[in-house]
Amino acid sequence: MRILNLVKIAFKAIVLNKMRTLLTMLGIIIGVASVIAMLAIGEGSKESIRTTISSMGSNMINIRPGEDTRGGVRQEASAMETLTLDDYYAIKEQADLLTYTTPMVNGSGQVINGSNNWPSTIYGVNPEYLNIKVLDLQSGSMFTDAEVKSASKVVLLGQTVVDNVFPDGTDPVGATIRFGNIPFKVIGVLSEKGENTFGQDQDDVVIAPYTTVQKRILAIDYLNQIMASAASEEQAPDAVTQVTEILRTQHKLADNEDDDFNVRSMEELISTFSSTSEMLTVLLVAVAGISLLIGGIGIMNIMYVSVKERTKEIGLRMAVGGKGSDILMQFLIEAILISVTGGVLGVALGLGATVFIENFLNWPTSVALYSIVVSFAVCAVTGIFFGWYPARKAASLDPITALRYE
């Protein structure tokens, strides 16, 4: 018998039992839809993480003091004084894989404007900080290198600080505020950025020259951190290696000595978050895949019922010359048709579910083509795997016994 005839026979058998076939497909439909939706959520989460972290500066490299033991007491990195301006100058002069570099010191305190005040953090940096952090100015201007050298008392404010110390909507540019007891002139306001991946408000900041914060607020001569930006995201790992070598030489560390500093790129952070997201996605897909397994078992059961109901038909076909291979193909094609049709409906339901999730639940989603291809492949394999044994049983029936079956 030709394949086309077998397909027609299988299709007719499916149409004659619409409700039973639909119920059989249900496991496949739900399984495929779940796999597509879960993978879309996983991919959307990874893209969202990468976008959010990239908005903080995808090429950004952080250099911080390392932990150490002094007098038998383990010191936190924040208490260490191993980073100096000499380190910053060495990195700036020798690291050719970096485009921007800034020293950083920071402290907490009250921002005061008249009777309004707000607790915030002041960051002491140089003008390259805006390029590293991918920050824009809403109004005003950034302080200059000359103002850094002279330790000028000028600041830029984040939008959260502006909203709380200038609640009447007054333009803060040109106004004088106090940070603690130190008066500062506001020369700019940063564009709003919102919360980052860690839930931290990126607009709750005060930015000033690092020399000003060092001398007038913190009274220190070391750095809390050095921030830099690699020439490109691809070069970030090499830039980390280069900075590490420069600082080991600068700190005169022997080969057997551990680093007294930490150098981290945003790529490591993206990789960590992405791997966590991937693990959760695999778990969700595994759970969704159980529906495909259940759907496959449903196909096997319904094919057994179909073989049972059509035993006489099978005997008649064999009696008029039908081969066992023809009977095998007939029932196998029927199982595959049920599985693939369920897959098509499952894809449609899965795509609809991702649209619903993104628009109504506000979860980031991204449908990957491979998720649809894999789902279809799994459907075909499910149809063949779970349909083969019932089809094989039908093909092995004895024609005379089948014709006598009641």
Side-chain angles (χ1 to χ4, degrees), residues 263-305:
V263 185
R264 296 285 183 270
S265 69
M266 298 303 284
E267 188 62 34
E268 295 176 36
L269 190 61
I270 291 172
S271 177
T272 300
F273 274 92
S274 294
S275 62
T276 303
S277 177
E278 283 175 5
M279 203 157 40
L280 290 173
T281 302
V282 169
L283 179 62
L284 291 171
V285 170
V287 173
I290 294 173
S291 295
L292 284 174
L293 178 63
I294 294 171
I297 294 171
I299 289 175
M300 180 181 282
N301 288 337
I302 207 66
M303 292 309 297
Y304 269 126
V305 173

Side-chain angles (χ1 to χ4, degrees), residues 227-275:
M227 294 182 69
S229 180
S232 68
E233 196 170 333
E234 292 73 24
Q235 289 181 301
D238 293 332
V240 168
T241 302
Q242 188 179 60
V243 168
T244 301
E245 292 173 353
I246 292 170
L247 286 179
R248 286 189 64 84
T249 302
Q250 186 72 14
H251 292 186
K252 298 180 174 60
L253 296 174
D255 292 340
N256 61 346
E257 289 184 289
D258 294 332
D259 296 340
D260 58 356
F261 55 86
N262 291 311
V263 185
R264 296 285 183 270
S265 69
M266 298 303 284
E267 188 62 34
E268 295 176 36
L269 190 61
I270 291 172
S271 177
T272 300
F273 274 92
S274 294
S275 62

